[in-house]
């Protein structure tokens, strides 16, 4: 037997590697019967009876979590929520050309959205805590990252749903894509009359829904699920065109928003670094700073102590241009009083020491009692 040449050995190794990887990534391994998967997803589309009550209770839980800024409560509400059903149903229906399922999924999703926003609006109208917490604010600015999370999360969800042994992937997708908190935030926007909150949060929910549906559609087509052959092919093309259009209308604004947010983050970081490096004076002390990005880019720095000379202010303005913040306005707010900074620092330290002593004394007294 002739020894294999080096090129032949290389080809043989590549073929073996390809076969190995194909076996490892084969989606047919452990796959549920396609009709069973279709039935499983179709069953979860309907919002009726217990399913509808579970949605209402989950919305109340999520709204309370957002209201008191509790991440654990919000995660619990997302696990309870049955919102994934009709969203995956839309993608499945488009993938197998089942227009009856598509209409049913859209109808139930519309009902779920209406009930969710109504429930959260009622809650936020009567709650005594009216301030927007960080968990609420986080659901008002959708970005391209939300698109990617929804797309890959949806892919994980439909692959898990097509297995014989169901895993915890679908509840995980519900948490990662955060379907429920944006609807609660939209309700908060209506309850407080804040249109920005309502539109931003609803758009975030819309992005998540579209890309979960799209990922379901892609996997269903990739795995060659049986189509409904009795339907008109022209209608199928129209649905595909509609899905493409909705996807583009969702992605383009999201990319634009993401670009704006990245620019804002970079500017804020540079502005913070500028204040930290340049505002060191022997007879003045920085009390605080504030950065405004829109509609104008403004760095406002508050000082106490002797007034900073005009020459120094001019130098700082030139430095802004040098570091690329040429469209930024610098505002220095100072009291103009001649203050001995060493005495001021000493007084602040004394006050802090006295406050700590009082705090320790209070704790000791409580423990004795």
């Amino acid at each position: 037997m002739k020894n294999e040449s080096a090129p032949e050995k290389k080809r043989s190794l590549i073929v073996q590697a390809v076969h190995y990887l194909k076996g490892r990534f084969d989606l047919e391994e452990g796959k549920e019967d396609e009709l069973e998967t279709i039935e499983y997803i179709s069953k979860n589309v309907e919002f009726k009876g217990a399913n509808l009550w579970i949605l209402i209770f989950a919305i109340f839980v999520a709204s309370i979590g957002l209201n008191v800024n509790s991440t654990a409560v919000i995660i619990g509400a997302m696990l309870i929520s049955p919102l994934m059903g009709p969203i995956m149903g839309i993608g499945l229906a488009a993938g197998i050309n089942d227009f009856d399922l598509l209409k049913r999924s859209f109808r139930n999703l519309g009902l779920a959205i209406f009930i969710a926003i109504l429930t959260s609006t009622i809650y936020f109208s009567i709650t005594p805590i009216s301030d927007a917490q960080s968990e609420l604010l986080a659901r008002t600015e959708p970005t391209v990252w939300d698109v990617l999370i929804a797309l890959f999360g949806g892919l994980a969800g439909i692959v898990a749903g097509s297995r014989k042994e169901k895993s915890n992937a679908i509840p995980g997708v519900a948490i990662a894509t955060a379907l429920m908190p944006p609807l609660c935030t939209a309700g908060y926007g209506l309850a407080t009359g804040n249109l920005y909150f309502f539109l931003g949060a609803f758009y975030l929910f819309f992005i998540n829904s579209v890309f979960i549906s799209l990922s379901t559609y892609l996997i269903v087509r990739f795995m060659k699920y049986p189509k409904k052959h009795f339907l008109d092919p022209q209608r199928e093309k129209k649905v595909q065109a509609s899905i493409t259009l909705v996807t583009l209308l969702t992605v383009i604004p999201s990319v634009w928003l993401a670009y704006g947010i990245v620019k804002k983050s970079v500017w804020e970081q540079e502005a913070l670094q500028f204040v930290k490096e340049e505002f060191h004076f022997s007879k003045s002390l920085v009390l605080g700073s504030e950065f405004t990005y829109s509609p104008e880019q403004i760095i406002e720095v508050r000082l106490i102590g002797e007034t900073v000379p005009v020459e120094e202010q001019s130098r700082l303005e030139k430095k802004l241009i040098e570091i690329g913040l040429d469209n930024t306005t610098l505002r220095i707010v100072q009291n103009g009083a001649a203050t001995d900074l060493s005495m001021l620092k000493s007084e602040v330290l004394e006050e802090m020491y006295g406050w700590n002593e009082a705090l320790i004394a209070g704790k000791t007294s409580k423990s004795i009692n």
Side-chain angles (χ1 to χ4, degrees):
M1 185 175 172
K2 284 177 73 176
N3 288 332
E4 287 183 336
S5 63
E8 286 173 339
K9 280 184 180 177
K10 191 176 179 182
R11 273 195 298 271
S12 175
L13 285 171
I14 291 170
V15 169
Q16 287 176 32
V18 168
H19 280 305
Y20 174 78
L21 290 173
K22 278 180 75 176
R24 283 286 175 181
F25 288 93
D26 187 10
L27 283 175
E28 296 297 318
E29 182 72 29
K31 181 183 169 186
E32 176 69 275
D33 178 72
E34 290 157 349
L35 295 177
E36 290 286 334
T37 302
I38 291 168
E39 188 183 352
Y40 168 75
I41 295 174
S42 301
K43 265 195 227 173
N44 293 319
V45 162
E46 204 72 40
F47 275 99
K48 198 174 181 182
N51 225 16
L52 200 54
W53 280 109
I54 290 169
L55 173 68
I56 292 169
F57 298 146
I59 286 290
F60 271 119
V61 172
S63 297
I64 293 166
L66 289 167
N67 205 190
V68 299
N69 219 36
S70 172
T71 305
V73 173
I74 296 164
I75 289 171
M78 289 188 283
L79 281 169
I80 300 167
S81 165
L83 273 171
M84 282 287 291
I87 295 170
M88 290 180 72
I90 290 168
L92 172 69
I96 63 173
N97 291 343
D98 189 339
F99 289 98
D100 288 333
L101 178 59
L102 188 67
K103 286 188 286 185
R104 193 154 59 91
S105 299
F106 270 117
R107 188 169 59 247
N108 279 280
L109 181 60
L111 174 66
I113 291 169
F114 174 75
I115 293 293
I117 292 178
L118 178 64
T119 303
S120 57
T121 302
I122 291 169
Y123 171 80
F124 284 112
S125 297
I126 60 176
T127 180
I129 305 172
S130 57
D131 292 340
Q133 306 291 341
S134 61
E135 287 287 352
L136 269 168
L137 295 170
R139 269 82 187 186
T140 58
E141 290 189 349
T143 70
V144 71
W145 313 119
D146 296 304
V147 174
L148 294 175
I149 290 166
L151 181 62
F152 291 115
L155 289 170
I158 184 58
V159 168
S162 68
R163 303 298 93 190
K164 284 178 184 174
E165 294 183 11
K166 308 300 181 194
S167 69
N168 60 354
I170 292 178
V173 173
I175 293 171
T177 53
L179 290 167
M180 184 164 287
L183 287 180
C184 296
T185 305
Y188 173 83
L190 284 181
T192 57
N194 191 322
L195 191 62
Y196 171 78
F197 273 30
F198 174 77
L199 292 176
F202 190 79
Y203 183 50
L204 176 55
F205 173 79
F206 177 69
I207 283 175
N208 290 339
S209 302
V210 168
F211 280 88
I212 291 169
S213 297
L214 176 64
S215 56
T216 304
Y217 168 82
L218 292 173
I219 292 295
V220 164
R221 281 296 171 95
F222 177 76
M223 295 176 73
K224 297 185 170 79
Y225 273 55
K227 295 182 185 179
K228 297 273 185 176
H229 295 293
F230 56 87
L231 294 174
D232 181 0
Q234 291 301 319
R235 291 187 69 191
E236 180 187 347
K237 287 180 182 177
K238 284 180 183 177
V239 169
Q240 289 174 349
S242 299
I243 290 171
T244 304
L245 179 63
V246 168
T247 302
L248 289 173
L249 288 174
T250 307
V251 171
I252 292 169
S254 183
V255 170
W256 180 78
L257 281 168
Y259 175 69
I261 288 169
V262 168
K263 277 183 67 179
K264 180 183 175 183
S265 299
V266 170
W267 179 85
E268 285 178 345
Q269 190 60 40
E270 289 177 347
L272 185 64
Q273 195 67 22
F274 168 75
V275 172
K276 193 184 288 185
E277 290 179 356
E278 300 297 329
F279 279 78
H280 295 288
F281 308 110
S282 58
K283 296 183 179 180
S284 297
L285 187 69
V286 176
L287 285 181
S289 56
E290 191 174 323
F291 308 120
T292 306
Y293 185 75
S294 179
E296 292 179 75
Q297 295 174 5
I298 300 167
I299 297 174
E300 184 177 292
V301 184
R302 294 180 295 280
L303 301 175
I304 189 168
E306 288 189 6
T307 303
V308 176
V310 176
E311 297 80 10
E312 183 61 21
Q313 292 185 40
S314 299
R315 184 193 72 78
L316 290 168
E317 286 169 359
K318 285 177 185 174
K319 186 68 178 178
L320 276 178
I321 297 169
E322 286 175 23
I323 62 173
L325 299 178
D326 45 321
N327 292 323
T328 302
T329 303
L330 177 63
R331 288 182 187 165
I332 300 176
V333 181
Q334 45 196 341
N335 65 354
T339 307
D340 187 339
L341 288 185
S342 59
M343 189 179 290
L344 176 66
K345 288 175 184 176
S346 174
E347 287 173 2
V348 170
L349 287 171
E350 280 179 19
E351 189 177 335
M352 286 178 68
Y353 178 76
W355 182 80
N356 283 332
E357 287 289 310
L359 187 65
I360 292 165
K363 284 183 178 177
T364 306
S365 145
K366 280 183 185 176
S367 63
I368 292 169
N369 295 334

